[in-house]
């Protein structure tokens, strides 16, 4: 018994001292991260100042709403949006906080419950919690009224902050295997695109909102959201200020219950994570499945070199993070531009050509997309004929996606605009544009290759090669515009001459013109590729 009591005391002491240890660890990580690079230190300090400045301005801006009839609607919806952002940020930026990965602690003799308390305390240290605190204070000040409202506001601020932080931790813990995998890095790389798309839809929604009559149109949504934790914390303050104490008590109970449930899920997730081996390790240790590259959808591709090169290019588009990001960005922007303009009443079916243009850019710098692995491809190219076969297969792979995508975007835009008569001519113009860009892209790939660095999500040109990249892209775009001049002139002439019954001819003419331009570009680029192969190999291997 004399030996058991000190052991129990030591265990309790270890549990009590775990929280300050993690807080000091978080501060040490922040401090040590600033010692490595002056650029990183400047970026962190700038981010801190901007976040604090914007947060304080938002806090005072929300406080100014005090007494406004729509203040409750604004702050309740803001609290819900804040919680939503906290829940998705760990998925988009998993590397922003090293403590988001609890697998680093699995080898330590730590129990889940004290670990939850320690991680929760350390999660409250950082720029995000500081910014959230400013918004929470401004939100409760906007709706708090009377002594009871002030007491409720003091209670609501930490509840809202805790709800957001715990929600983010639960999501991060549940998806930690994904966040540390290749798919997780792909998701983080595409996060900027998703945020940009969300910003476009938010801009459209805000325009529609004020056109429909202002903030009063949001009251039905606010009536539902005020019962969704952790927005219920702000709703509680609003209810107390209006004298609805029973409703406020229910919202308080719902907030506390949700936080307790999230903490339970978090503890359970940590326990499972610490006692369950990584599935990828088990898969590697078990009997592997052989993959047949000629089975499934790949069997539909042509045989020989053409099919092999097409499969390689399409696999790059699916597996390589930077290639995937470029493809998805082009696909998304090519659809968003015509659809967003159509929703705003300013659409035109001709905007569907953006889709073909965005994907046509992927033909530029074809060999640079292979990076240093291009030396394996270079071993198979020794004559202009082999170079032509390589470029033709890459163009086929791009057209395999772009042609049906262009038709789909044009059909959707024509349906939204209600201009079905223009569908044939726009599809013809888009296909002609695609062929022109495949032509100029092949020539630019042969004459202006450059390396794409493998590190850095937003570094797409190796140092010293920016001039080559700009020259190839803008020169190619100018050449594409010149190649499309005959089709554009014919379209304008048919409209001016009121020969609308002949506009459908632009569909076969555009498709034929695009095919002819592609064939000519590949034929002209192939001898250059075969002749400059050592220079191309050197240029694309610099990254």
């Amino acid at each position: 018994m004399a030996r058991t009591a000190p052991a129990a005391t030591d265990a309790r002491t270890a549990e009590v001292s775990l929280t300050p240890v993690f807080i000091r660890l978080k501060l040490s990580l922040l401090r040590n991260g600033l010692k490595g690079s002056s650029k990183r230190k400047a970026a962190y300090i700038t981010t801190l100042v901007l976040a604090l400045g914007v947060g304080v301005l938002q806090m005072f801006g929300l406080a100014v709403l005090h007494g406004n009839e729509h203040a409750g609607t604004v702050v309740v919806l803001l609290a819900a949006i804040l919680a939503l952002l906290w829940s998705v940020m760990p998925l988009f930026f998993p590397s922003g906080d090293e403590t988001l990965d609890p697998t680093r602690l699995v080898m330590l003799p730590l129990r889940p419950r004290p670990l939850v308390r320690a991680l929760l305390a350390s999660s409250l240290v950082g720029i995000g919690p500081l910014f959230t605190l400013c918004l929470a204070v401004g939100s409760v000040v906007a709706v708090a009224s009377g002594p009871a409202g002030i007491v409720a506001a003091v209670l609501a601020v930490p509840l809202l902050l805790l709800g957001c932080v715990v929600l983010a931790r639960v999501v991060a813990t549940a998806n930690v295997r994904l966040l540390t995998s290749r798919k997780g890095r792909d998701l983080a790389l595409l996060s900027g695109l998703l945020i940009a798309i969300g910003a476009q839809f938010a801009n459209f929604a805000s325009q529609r909102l004020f056109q429909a009559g202002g903030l009063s149109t949001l009251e039905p949504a606010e009536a539902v959201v005020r019962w969704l934790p952790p927005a219920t914390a702000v709703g509680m303050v609003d209810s107390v200020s209006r004298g609805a104490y029973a409703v406020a008590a229910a919202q308080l109970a719902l907030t506390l219950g949700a936080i307790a449930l999230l903490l339970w899920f978090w503890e359970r997730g940590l326990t499972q994570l610490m006692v369950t081996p990584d599935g990828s390790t088990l898969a590697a240790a078990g009997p592997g499945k052989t993959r047949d590259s000629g089975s499934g959808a790949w069997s539909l591709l042509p045989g020989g070199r053409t099919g092999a090169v097409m499969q390689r290019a399409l696999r790059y588009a699916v597996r390589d993070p930077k290639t995937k990001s470029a493809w998805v960005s082009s696909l998304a922007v090519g659809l968003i531009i015509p659809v967003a303009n159509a929703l705003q009443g300013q659409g035109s079916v001709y905007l569907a050509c953006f889709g073909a243009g965005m994907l046509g850019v992927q033909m530029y710098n074809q060999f640079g997309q292979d990076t240093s692995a291009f030396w394996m491809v270079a071993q198979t190219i020794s004559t202009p004929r082999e170079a032509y076969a390589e470029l033709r297969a890459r163009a086929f792979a791009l057209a395999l996606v772009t042609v049906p995508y262009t038709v789909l975007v044009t059909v959707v835009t024509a349906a939204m605009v209600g201009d079905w008569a223009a569908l044939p001519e726009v599809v013809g113009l888009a296909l002609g544009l695609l062929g022109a860009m495949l032509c100029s892209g092949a020539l630019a790939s042969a004459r202006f290759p450059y390396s794409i660095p493998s590190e850095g999500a937003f570094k797409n040109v190796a140092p010293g090669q920016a001039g080559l990249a700009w020259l190839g892209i803008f020169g190619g775009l100018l050449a594409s515009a010149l190649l499309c001049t005959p089709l554009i002139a014919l379209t304008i002439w048919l409209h001016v001459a009121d020969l609308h019954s002949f506009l459908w001819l632009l569909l076969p003419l555009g498709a034929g013109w695009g095919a002819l331009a592609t064939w000519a570009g590949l034929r002209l680029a192939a001898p250059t590729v075969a002749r400059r192969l050592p220079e191309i190999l050197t240029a694309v291997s610099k990254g």
Side-chain angles (χ1 to χ4, degrees):
M1 294 297 294
R3 295 182 179 179
T4 305
T9 303
D10 292 341
R12 289 194 297 270
T13 303
E15 290 185 5
V16 172
S17 61
L18 191 60
T19 299
V21 167
F22 269 70
I23 294 177
R24 290 195 299 269
L25 177 62
K26 181 65 173 290
L27 294 174
S28 298
L29 287 173
L30 295 175
R31 184 173 58 253
N32 294 336
L34 298 177
K35 293 180 179 180
S37 171
S38 58
K39 292 183 179 179
R40 184 173 181 179
K41 182 185 298 184
Y44 182 83
I45 294 175
T46 303
T47 304
L48 177 61
V49 172
L50 289 177
L52 184 59
V54 173
V56 171
L57 290 176
Q58 291 285 344
M59 180 176 64
F60 284 111
L62 292 171
V64 171
L65 293 177
H66 184 76
N68 189 286
E69 60 177 339
H70 300 299
T73 301
V74 172
V75 297
V76 169
L77 292 177
L78 177 62
I81 294 173
L82 197 62
L84 178 63
L85 292 177
W86 270 93
S87 65
V88 300
M89 283 301 107
L91 299 177
F92 288 157
F93 305 104
S95 59
D97 186 356
E98 291 85 352
T99 61
L100 284 176
D101 186 5
T103 57
R104 300 168 183 252
L105 309 172
V106 294
M107 300 301 294
L108 299 177
L110 303 175
R111 294 184 177 275
R113 184 160 298 178
L115 183 59
V116 165
R117 291 197 297 265
L119 288 175
L120 178 60
S122 64
S123 299
L124 297 175
V125 179
I127 298 177
L130 180 62
F131 182 77
T132 304
L133 180 63
C134 293
L135 294 184
V137 171
S139 297
V140 298
V141 169
V143 294
S145 178
I150 294 175
V151 173
V154 173
L155 183 61
V157 171
L159 287 179
L160 177 59
L161 181 60
L162 284 176
C164 292
V165 173
V166 174
L167 181 60
R169 281 295 183 175
V170 171
V171 173
T173 302
N175 296 277
V176 65
R177 301 296 189 193
L178 170 66
L179 298 180
T180 54
S181 66
R182 180 176 60 85
K183 293 183 179 180
R185 292 191 293 271
D186 294 349
L187 181 62
L189 189 64
L190 298 175
S191 60
L193 170 65
L194 298 179
I195 293 173
I197 295 174
Q200 292 295 327
F201 281 104
N203 180 40
F204 170 72
S206 63
Q207 292 179 5
R208 287 287 182 177
L209 170 65
F210 290 106
Q211 290 175 0
L215 295 173
S216 59
T217 58
L218 294 177
E219 291 180 357
E222 182 268 341
V224 176
V225 171
R226 67 168 48 239
W227 290 101
L228 299 178
T232 47
V234 180
M236 174 195 65
V237 181
D238 187 39
S239 300
V240 169
S241 301
R242 291 187 289 105
Y245 297 110
V247 175
Q251 290 172 330
L252 176 61
L254 190 57
T255 304
L256 294 174
I259 293 177
L261 186 62
L262 287 174
L263 288 172
W264 179 78
F265 273 115
W266 187 10
E267 180 181 349
R268 182 181 178 184
L270 281 175
T271 303
Q272 184 176 5
L273 189 65
M274 290 184 171
V275 300
T276 305
D278 191 353
S280 62
T281 304
L282 295 176
K289 296 181 179 180
T290 60
R291 296 184 179 180
D292 183 8
S293 60
S295 62
W298 302 118
S299 60
L300 301 177
L301 298 177
R305 177 173 187 147
T306 300
V309 174
M310 290 179 65
Q311 185 176 158
R312 184 183 70 228
L314 294 173
R315 286 187 184 275
Y316 276 168
V318 174
R319 295 182 177 181
D320 181 64
K322 288 199 173 183
T323 306
K324 180 190 296 186
S325 176
W327 273 78
V328 174
S329 300
S330 300
L331 291 169
V333 174
L335 180 63
I336 288 174
I337 289 179
V339 169
N341 281 274
L343 290 174
Q344 295 177 6
Q346 304 171 355
S348 171
V349 68
Y350 291 96
L351 291 176
C353 293
F354 267 100
M358 293 298 300
L359 283 176
V361 175
Q362 303 307 314
M363 188 64 186
Y364 291 75
N365 196 34
Q366 275 291 308
F367 307 127
Q369 295 176 20
D370 296 349
T371 63
S372 57
F374 177 67
W375 73 270
M376 299 181 65
V377 178
Q379 305 304 314
T380 65
I381 300 176
S382 58
T383 64
R385 182 174 182 176
E386 293 174 344
Y388 173 76
E390 177 74 22
L391 287 170
R392 183 186 60 184
R394 291 173 183 250
F396 281 169
L398 186 59
L400 184 64
V401 178
T402 306
V403 171
Y405 170 81
T406 300
V407 175
L408 176 63
V409 171
T410 309
V411 170
V412 171
T413 307
M416 297 184 68
V417 176
D419 189 6
W420 289 104
L423 179 63
E425 60 178 292
V426 174
V427 172
L429 288 173
L431 294 178
L433 173 62
L434 175 61
M437 297 196 72
L438 291 177
C439 169
S440 60
L443 293 171
S445 298
R447 296 186 176 275
F448 306 106
Y450 57 90
S451 177
I452 301 177
S454 57
E455 77 283 351
F458 304 101
K459 293 176 63 177
N460 294 318
V461 181
Q465 293 185 327
L468 280 174
W470 286 110
L471 185 61
I473 293 175
F474 282 100
L477 292 177
L478 179 60
S480 300
L482 293 176
L483 287 173
C484 290
T485 302
L487 285 177
I488 298 174
L490 178 60
T491 305
I492 296 175
W493 180 74
L494 289 175
H495 278 280
V496 172
D498 200 19
L499 299 174
H500 299 283
S501 58
F502 294 96
L503 286 172
W504 66 270
L505 291 174
L506 288 171
L507 177 56
L509 289 176
W513 183 261
L516 179 62
T518 302
W519 174 82
L522 297 178
R523 282 294 183 186
L524 292 174
T528 305
V529 171
R531 185 178 65 255
R532 300 184 68 244
L533 193 59
E535 301 175 30
I536 296 175
L537 183 59
T538 302
V540 302
S541 302
K542 288 186 177 180

